[in-house]
Amino acid sequence: MAVEDRIIVPLDVPTEADAIALVEQLPQVTFWKVGLELFVSTGPEILHTLKSRNKRIFLDLKFHDIPNTVAGAIRKAASYGVDLITIHGTAGRTALKAANAAALEGSEAAGCPPPKLIAITILTSLTSRDLAFDLKIPVELPEYALQMALLAQESGLSGAVCSPQEASQLRQVCGDDFLLVCPGVRPSWSQTGDQKRTMTPAEAIKAGADYLVIGRPITAATDPVAAWERIGDELTAAGV
Ligand code: C5P
């Protein structure tokens, strides 16, 4: 796979018109992420639009509910022919297993390939301090991310979303077949914004990430195409 095909760009925009404008501005991007803001605005329509343009889709709705409810939502989401779907690891083992079964049922009933269900380990905007003081979780952040990934793997999920800083440990423990998708990626020349645990694209891939989610460094750049190309050039120069 070309290294550019391992970059997923989020459509973090409020309307379908904004999303289509971004997709048209960056025809080089083959993998787009649809998150909560856009999906709440457009519903599944945006997924049909992206499919009709032969784009791969990461449906990042970060499901988190009781087993029966997540299963119902994921069964439907899987029928749209999306490639990746997220669920919070903290939904628990029973919900993760139910979600996995529902993803297979939904895609099979719709006659499309099954999506890969991946677990959110811990949001990349959270710090150790948030974990300890606000969430009252008495383990170190890397240990927590690892436990969430292992729970996902034991529950039959295809992979996890993690910060690039946790990628090498997760890769080592979960093995080569476990998909690692990393947001919190920042080229050295971009602003970190609210992402706390970042690495550059080349560092993240070297650490074991399969896919990088890179948003604002590209979408908020004065020239998004130039930013995209610069990232591709830097990855090639780094030999990844
Ligand atoms: O603009 P930026 O590169 O920070 O965008 C990162 C994207 O990845 C956002 O759409 C965000 O919702 C998503 N994401 C994240 N952390 C996670 C899971 C998803 O930042 N743990």
Side-chain angles (χ1 to χ4, degrees), residues 162-227:
C162 65
S163 132
Q165 291 187 1
E166 281 101 51
S168 82
Q169 191 192 12
L170 265 57
R171 174 62 65 225
Q172 225 176 345
V173 178
C174 300
D176 286 344
D177 293 339
F178 196 65
L179 203 68
L180 294 181
V181 177
C182 294
V185 177
R186 290 289 181 265
S188 53
W189 38 267
S190 67
Q191 295 188 338
T192 47
D194 54 358
Q195 296 286 8
K196 300 275 167 40
R197 293 175 285 124
T198 64
M199 273 191 189
T200 67
E203 285 168 348
I205 290 196
K206 283 183 181 163
D210 293 296
Y211 289 99
L212 310 177
V213 179
I214 311 180
R216 286 161 291 180
I218 298 170
T219 55
T222 327
D223 183 345
V225 174

Side-chain angles (χ1 to χ4, degrees), residues 26-202:
L26 285 161
Q28 305 87 336
V29 178
T30 58
F31 212 155
W32 289 96
K33 182 169 90 71
V34 174
L36 285 168
E37 181 182 14
L38 185 60
F39 194 80
V40 169
S41 162
T42 68
E45 197 51 44
I46 184 63
L47 307 179
H48 302 314
T49 303
L50 290 169
K51 292 287 289 179
S52 73
R53 291 169 186 241
N54 291 320
K55 303 296 182 186
R56 287 174 295 159
I57 304 172
F58 173 10
L59 185 59
D60 184 24
L61 299 183
K62 298 188 176 68
F63 291 107
H64 191 188
D65 213 315
I66 59 169
N68 186 56
T69 305
V70 276
I74 288 178
R75 194 173 294 115
K76 190 67 194 168
S79 76
Y80 298 131
V82 299
D83 299 87
L84 295 175
I85 298 179
T86 42
I87 177 169
H88 277 279
T90 46
R93 194 180 299 271
T94 312
L96 294 174
K97 285 186 175 170
N100 216 25
L104 290 177
E105 286 160 19
S107 55
E108 201 175 292
C112 51
K116 288 191 171 16
L117 193 60
I118 56 177
I120 304 288
T121 51
I122 173 163
L123 294 174
T124 45
S125 54
L126 293 174
T127 62
S128 299
R129 201 186 153 74
D130 295 326
L131 200 67
F133 289 95
D134 294 340
L135 305 183
K136 307 289 180 210
I137 294 173
V139 291
E140 292 298 324
L141 199 146
E143 174 62 21
Y144 184 76
L146 178 62
Q147 290 309 322
M148 285 297 125
L150 286 171
L151 174 62
Q153 192 171 40
E154 286 164 19
S155 308
L157 269 65
S158 301
V161 181
C162 65
S163 132
Q165 291 187 1
E166 281 101 51
S168 82
Q169 191 192 12
L170 265 57
R171 174 62 65 225
Q172 225 176 345
V173 178
C174 300
D176 286 344
D177 293 339
F178 196 65
L179 203 68
L180 294 181
V181 177
C182 294
V185 177
R186 290 289 181 265
S188 53
W189 38 267
S190 67
Q191 295 188 338
T192 47
D194 54 358
Q195 296 286 8
K196 300 275 167 40
R197 293 175 285 124
T198 64
M199 273 191 189
T200 67

Side-chain angles (χ1 to χ4, degrees), residues 1-13:
M1 193 194 297
V3 74
E4 286 84 0
D5 291 334
R6 295 169 64 178
I7 301 176
I8 304 174
V9 181
L11 285 166
D12 287 334
V13 290

